Amino acid sequence: MEEGYMSIHIEGGYAGKTLWVDLSKNKILTKDLDPELAVKYIGGRGFVAKLLFDLVDPERDPLDPQNPLVFATGPLSGIAPASGRFTVGARSPATGIHGDSNSGGDFAMELKHAGYDFIVITGKAQEPVYLSIQDDNVEIKSAKDMWGLTTHETFDHLREKEEDRNIKAVAIGPAGENLVATAAIIETESRAAARAGMGAVMGSKNLKAISVRGTKDIKLADYEAWKEAFEELLQVFLDDPMTSQVGRLLGSNFLHRVHSAHGTLIIENGHRGYATEEELEKVSAETILKYHVKGRSCFLCPIACTRSIYMESEKYGLIKGRGPEYYSIQSLTYRAGGWDTEAGIYLNKLCDAYGIDATTLPSNIAFAIDLYENGIITKEQVGGLELTWGNFEAIEEIIKSVAYRKGKIGELFAKSTKELIKEFGPESEWYALEVKGLTMPSNDPRAGNVYNMRYAIATRGADHLRVSVLSSGRSLKWDELPEDEAMRVFVHFETYVTLVNLFEVCNWAYSSYTSTPEIAEVKEKGMFKIYNAATGLNLTPEDFAKAAHRTILTERAENVRYGLRREHDYLPRRVFEEPLPINEKGDTKIFPREKFEKLLDAYYALRGLDPKTTAPKPQILKELEVHEIEEDLRKRGLIKGGEE
């Protein structure tokens, strides 16, 4: 079979080259894209999964300089509607396991036009540097004068240093430099690869930014076929009201009302799942529209769901630029017990400037507020702060202190969620809404059992993006199906969303903003058609499904090497034991533990995972032609002889 892969000729879609940068040795190599990697893993998250499995030594600390940091585009980056995404991955310093994060903007498109499908960065520079990419000219340059700057200041400096206003870039702020566990990587358009602490990995390498300018064309194997497929897919977005109306007019903030109606909001750290009308009038898509100037789009996106904000606030002054998305503003406001859109917009801007994950850090703060309000921790333990629900001044002080690790507060909240639990003691664990060390975003599993199994099974921790589809609320109705059938639907959409990540098109455009399963199916066929027209390959739907399955199992295999087993695919204990109020009538919901275990068993069976160790079974690894993963797990004793 390997000979078969070697004979593959890819005519387009991919850039065809990859960059390998060793910052310790100040060395840059360019290599051809391996066609076997391309066909087996397609791109983006798939490339990241395989490269991390191959290159990360599980014995090394996440911030060991030799661990790789991978930025990967996809084969549809720059050549499909809504194709401005890239994935960045490394062993996560926030969780200690597989880590990756996905961002929109224009960086992926520019990197493809510069001629590269992915960048692998290892080592640590002796002093702060940035990577300058201008087509074939790639250099490691000093960033000493940018160290300490906010992300927005850094982009201004990069444009001056590169003498080019049109560069695209990714950068870290002070939080990444100071190795804060919730540090994010920010893209030029203020988009964020926020979760799993990728900003801290970049900071550990003394890498402040990557600047890129590309002028090359992306080759297309069959231009006419590609054009036809592109136009057909574009029409789907224009016809579906979820993309042409909801996404375009309201952006992701339409979810405040959807989730409230189903009782799945996370209010005051998960003690209530619904908001009153009075509360929704303070924080909702309609409220944010008051400050909305226009929609902004990532590359080739017909939706433009990003909110451009202009806010003149008596309290917070003038704020303009990218506004908060749903998951950020809900974390920065009512998750911490406050209902103030202006505060949410201001705090979100601070997080972007300092390079902080605007979901995870606020979730950690809401967790601490819950502990404080319940007498589990004292004022002295949190640096003298009055940590009460809705205290936005305290949240602001924490964000500003964390970025620079300033004082007791800065050091405390620079920790990961797991470290905070340890710091606050065993009694605090009950209040922590986390899985594998990553906090759950909104959408409480008690009010949507099957759909939110995604938090338990996701390979990077509590992750809403591994299965994010039909956000109008249809996916929450999977609870009405028999368990085995429900998990088949769940796995079907996990495969679909994984393909979205491999192609590096937008999760929101292709999955969340999708009215019906039938429209998702049309979008899937459209992606396959564009891929085959662009690359000249003739992969089948089964080939694509296998690539998605390989990616999930490769991430699983990496996590098994870190010691993860069935007990790590959990949900917080509160989800099973504390009923969640879901409406003003006093109705409550809970996730029955027995149902959870049955759903988990069904998932393992469908994915070919051992139900105890969660290691991929040898038979499925053979079927997916990833013999090297089977050999590696056998060598480490993680698959026993003859085990099937």
Side-chain angles (χ1 to χ4, degrees):
M1 196 64 197
E2 277 63 23
E3 277 185 23
Y5 285 113
M6 287 174 67
S7 65
I8 289 172
H9 176 58
I10 301 175
E11 298 177 57
Y14 296 94
K17 299 285 182 188
T18 64
L19 263 183
W20 298 71
V21 180
D22 186 333
L23 292 172
S24 295
K25 297 177 181 172
N26 204 37
K27 191 174 175 183
I28 299 167
L29 281 178
T30 303
K31 298 181 184 178
D32 290 339
L33 176 67
D34 178 357
E36 180 176 349
L37 177 69
V39 171
K40 279 187 170 177
Y41 286 89
I42 303 296
R45 182 179 145 201
F47 286 172
V48 167
K50 187 61 165 65
L51 289 163
L52 293 186
F53 185 85
D54 288 347
L55 301 175
V56 173
D57 180 345
E59 302 303 318
R60 288 196 192 116
D61 183 85
L63 295 182
D64 187 291
Q66 288 313 306
N67 275 346
L69 176 67
V70 182
F71 290 83
T73 69
L76 301 195
S77 298
I79 59 168
S83 59
R85 310 296 299 191
F86 67 91
T87 295
V88 53
R91 184 176 184 186
S92 166
T95 62
I97 63 172
H98 172 86
D100 64 52
S101 197
N102 188 283
S103 171
D106 295 337
F107 178 79
M109 172 274 300
E110 202 71 25
L111 189 60
K112 279 283 285 287
H113 281 290
Y116 307 102
D117 291 302
F118 62 75
I119 311 170
V120 178
I121 299 163
T122 54
K124 179 180 181 180
Q126 289 188 342
E127 60 182 34
V129 297
Y130 74 98
L131 187 65
S132 168
I133 303 170
Q134 294 186 29
D135 292 335
D136 297 334
N137 184 25
V138 183
E139 294 180 69
I140 299 168
K141 297 182 178 179
S142 174
K144 282 171 74 175
D145 57 340
M146 293 190 284
W147 207 248
L149 298 184
T150 66
T151 57
H152 304 135
E153 291 166 341
T154 300
F155 295 132
D156 287 340
H157 268 64
L158 280 172
R159 292 183 186 107
E160 286 177 19
K161 287 165 83 86
E162 294 293 298
E163 298 179 340
D164 187 347
R165 299 294 302 169
N166 294 315
I167 59 156
K168 304 302 174 191
V170 289
I172 56 170
E177 297 169 11
N178 290 301
L179 310 184
V180 171
T182 52
I185 295 172
I186 306 295
E187 198 266 351
T188 331
E189 299 296 320
S190 286
R191 309 292 304 203
R195 305 209 81 194
M198 294 297 101
V201 181
M202 209 160 149
S204 75
K205 296 181 178 303
N206 271 339
L207 180 62
K208 177 68 176 176
I210 301 174
S211 156
V212 60
R213 189 78 166 97
T215 61
K216 299 177 183 178
D217 289 334
I218 299 172
K219 292 180 184 172
L220 300 168
D222 184 337
Y223 174 79
E224 291 302 327
W226 167 81
K227 182 169 177 283
E228 179 182 297
F230 185 100
E231 290 174 349
E232 285 175 1
L233 196 45
L234 184 60
Q235 194 60 47
V236 178
F237 291 112
L238 298 178
D239 290 342
D240 184 356
M242 278 299 288
T243 41
S244 62
Q245 295 175 34
V246 177
R248 186 174 296 174
L249 296 177
L250 301 178
S252 59
N253 283 296
F254 80 97
L255 284 170
H256 296 285
R257 285 188 182 279
V258 172
H259 286 170
S260 180
H262 289 85
T264 62
L265 292 177
I266 294 184
I267 297 173
E268 294 182 355
N269 198 39
H271 293 298
R272 176 156 59 99
Y274 70 94
T276 64
E277 186 55 38
E278 186 183 351
E279 289 168 336
L280 284 170
E281 283 175 7
K282 294 176 183 168
V283 180
S284 66
E286 295 81 2
T287 315
I288 293 167
L289 273 180
K290 288 196 295 188
Y291 308 99
H292 174 55
V293 180
K294 62 175 182 178
R296 290 168 64 180
S297 69
C298 300
F299 191 69
L300 281 180
C301 182
I303 306 169
C305 70
T306 299
R307 310 289 85 186
S308 266
I309 295 291
Y310 185 91
M311 181 179 89
E312 289 181 0
S313 166
E314 283 186 18
K315 187 168 186 181
Y316 301 110
L318 175 64
I319 306 277
K320 55 184 179 178
R322 189 181 76 89
E325 297 176 356
Y326 166 68
Y327 286 98
S328 303
I329 198 164
Q330 64 89 20
S331 301
L332 288 161
T333 56
Y334 51 80
R335 183 167 184 136
W339 299 87
D340 184 339
T341 294
E342 289 195 357
I345 290 172
Y346 169 68
L347 295 173
N348 182 69
K349 191 77 177 175
L350 280 186
C351 287
D352 282 354
Y354 294 136
I356 291 174
D357 176 357
T359 296
T360 308
L361 177 61
S363 300
N364 286 343
I365 295 171
F367 161 58
I369 292 174
D370 205 0
L371 297 178
Y372 186 82
E373 291 273 11
N374 282 285
I376 311 297
I377 58 174
T378 64
K379 197 170 181 176
E380 188 183 2
Q381 281 178 279
V382 290
L385 281 179
E386 194 68 50
L387 270 187
T388 50
W389 294 122
N391 186 345
F392 290 112
E393 285 76 18
I395 298 173
E396 178 183 355
E397 187 169 345
I398 290 171
I399 292 171
K400 288 179 173 175
S401 301
V402 161
Y404 299 96
R405 284 184 175 266
K406 193 170 66 181
K408 185 172 183 176
I409 299 167
E411 285 296 336
L412 178 67
F413 285 96
K415 295 176 186 289
S416 68
T417 307
K418 285 284 191 191
E419 288 171 327
L420 281 175
I421 295 169
K422 200 177 290 182
E423 176 83 22
F424 293 142
E427 201 178 347
S428 72
E429 195 167 1
W430 169 264
Y431 298 87
L433 296 177
E434 59 80 33
V435 180
K436 301 183 184 76
L438 201 66
T439 57
M440 288 188 329
S442 189
N443 212 325
D444 194 300
R446 287 169 285 190
N449 297 170
V450 175
Y451 187 44
N452 290 308
M453 282 297 288
R454 56 192 179 158
Y455 296 138
I457 60 87
T459 48
R460 68 171 185 170
D463 188 347
H464 64 294
L465 291 171
R466 296 301 207 231
V467 186
S468 57
V469 73
L470 310 177
S471 293
S472 57
R474 289 177 70 120
S475 50
L476 294 168
K477 299 193 174 194
W478 295 349
D479 284 351
E480 296 168 10
L481 300 172
E483 281 141 9
D484 283 349
E485 186 182 340
M487 281 318 274
R488 273 196 291 278
V489 175
F490 178 93
V491 165
H492 168 80
F493 279 107
E494 185 192 34
T495 298
Y496 175 74
V497 173
T498 304
L499 286 170
V500 167
N501 298 157
L502 306 193
F503 290 124
E504 288 299 346
V505 289
C506 178
N507 243 2
W508 281 98
Y510 284 80
S511 53
S512 301
Y513 296 140
T514 303
S515 294
T516 66
E518 292 75 21
I519 293 175
E521 193 176 331
V522 175
K523 288 179 178 176
E524 184 178 65
K525 286 178 180 169
M527 289 189 288
F528 297 166
K529 199 169 172 181
I530 289 186
Y531 178 88
N532 282 330
T535 61
L537 300 170
N538 193 25
L539 301 191
T540 65
E542 291 72 27
D543 294 327
F544 291 119
K546 277 188 172 183
H549 202 165
R550 264 185 215 108
T551 299
I552 293 165
L553 264 53
T554 303
E555 292 169 352
R556 280 262 165 196
E558 184 191 348
N559 279 345
V560 168
R561 294 199 309 200
Y562 299 138
L564 267 60
R565 303 291 182 266
R566 182 187 179 108
E567 61 267 27
H568 297 99
D569 289 338
Y570 60 87
L571 286 174
R573 192 155 60 93
R574 277 172 63 195
V575 166
F576 306 114
E577 299 178 19
E578 181 183 283
L580 175 72
I582 60 163
N583 56 37
E584 292 184 73
K585 291 188 295 181
D587 295 330
T588 61
K589 282 191 174 179
I590 204 161
F591 199 147
R593 190 179 286 278
E594 187 183 354
K595 180 180 179 183
F596 171 80
E597 297 297 339
K598 282 183 183 173
L599 292 170
L600 197 56
D601 280 333
Y603 178 78
Y604 291 152
L606 289 163
R607 282 295 178 210
L609 300 169
D610 184 287
K612 289 182 182 171
T613 67
T614 70
K617 291 183 175 180
Q619 184 59 36
I620 194 69
L621 293 173
K622 285 185 178 68
E623 287 173 19
L624 295 174
E625 301 173 73
V626 279
H627 312 294
E628 69 281 9
I629 293 178
E630 182 185 351
E631 284 172 23
D632 182 274
L633 295 181
R634 279 193 188 283
K635 200 188 318 173
R636 296 172 190 274
L638 298 169
I639 293 178
K640 302 285 170 55
E643 193 177 323
E644 290 298 336

